[in-house]
Amino acid sequence: MAVAPIPFQLPNITKLSVTSDKNQNLDRASRSIRFSVEQGAKLVVLPEMWNCPYSSDYFAKYAEDFDNRDASPTWSMLSEAACCHGITIIGGSLPEWDHGRLYNTCCIFGPDGKLKAKHRKIHLFDIDIPGEISFKESDTFTAGDQPTIVDTEVGRIGIGICHDIRFPELAALYRKRGVDIICYPGAFNMSTGELLWELVQRARAVDNQLFVATCSPSRNSTGSYTIWGHSTLVGPSGEIIVTSGHEETTVIAEIDYSNIQLQRKSLPLDDQKREDIYKFIDVHELNP
């Protein structure tokens, strides 16, 4: 999809302080979206698991069946907000029930309020660092099995959720399919966040010469899982365009997609790749 080199406002609706009161979370998100629109936003990105605390004790309780709209207040709020304000919303992620299975799901809504795409987290986060953190997302959620690319009024967007960002193969696939920006709602913890959160964002952006946007809940969110925070927009040369701390805030930045082509023209990585060599490498020869 061709994208004109016209700047637009992209706010990361970041650091939403998530509470155990679902209605309060919905109201806070709705007000944040409205504030962003007043600042000129055309694309709004919400955090991972913003309608409930990030805890296995809450996921099933707060989950919604998106096919049952009358029982899906989060889905309805996002749809109505997108339509009311005429914007595209990357709806963070929500716990979704579907045929008896629980998914970590991101819904993307267009300016008409209709669902444009739905991404289910592909790579589930299981970690065990003795003395620091032990968490198994796979005990609760079912993994998604499809990448998600959506054409919008503000460009071609690839979607990942949190741990999806650790896998460069997914980002490379999005690059090959013409994505302009990858949006990753995420909730890295204190251990992995300090070491890796900024690093992997910049790596995905610079390796693929595109934009990367991340959005996290605030660190003071309710739940036993302590969140690192720090939402960021990274440009195609790996530069940080804007970032935040760990507190609740709204980050707004301007994107110019022409910078993607400028970067790729200056450093034509696709032309320099040696697929003829990569596909014949035997890993056992490299690591005898």
Side-chain angles (χ1 to χ4, degrees), residues 193-222:
E194 185 173 12
L195 287 172
L196 301 173
W197 185 225
E198 179 183 309
L199 174 67
V200 292
Q201 294 174 59
R202 298 182 71 182
R204 298 296 85 82
V206 73
D207 283 352
N208 297 287
Q209 298 174 306
L210 44 67
F211 288 90
V212 166
T214 62
C215 190
S216 169
S218 68
R219 188 176 300 174
N220 65 342
S221 298
T222 304

Side-chain angles (χ1 to χ4, degrees), residues 133-210:
I133 183 174
S134 181
F135 186 85
K136 288 194 69 175
E137 200 172 30
S138 61
D139 284 345
T140 305
F141 290 107
T142 299
D145 59 7
Q146 295 290 331
T148 303
I149 297 172
V150 55
D151 288 320
T152 75
E153 290 75 6
V154 288
R156 174 167 282 189
I157 301 173
I159 305 295
I161 299 174
C162 200
H163 198 45
D164 286 339
I165 201 173
R166 291 296 305 275
F167 299 87
E169 297 85 353
L170 180 62
L173 172 66
Y174 287 156
R175 157 73 190 265
K176 290 180 180 178
R177 295 187 180 178
V179 160
D180 303 299
I181 182 170
I182 308 176
C183 294
Y184 293 101
F188 268 46
N189 61 74
M190 296 296 289
S191 298
T192 60
E194 185 173 12
L195 287 172
L196 301 173
W197 185 225
E198 179 183 309
L199 174 67
V200 292
Q201 294 174 59
R202 298 182 71 182
R204 298 296 85 82
V206 73
D207 283 352
N208 297 287
Q209 298 174 306
L210 44 67

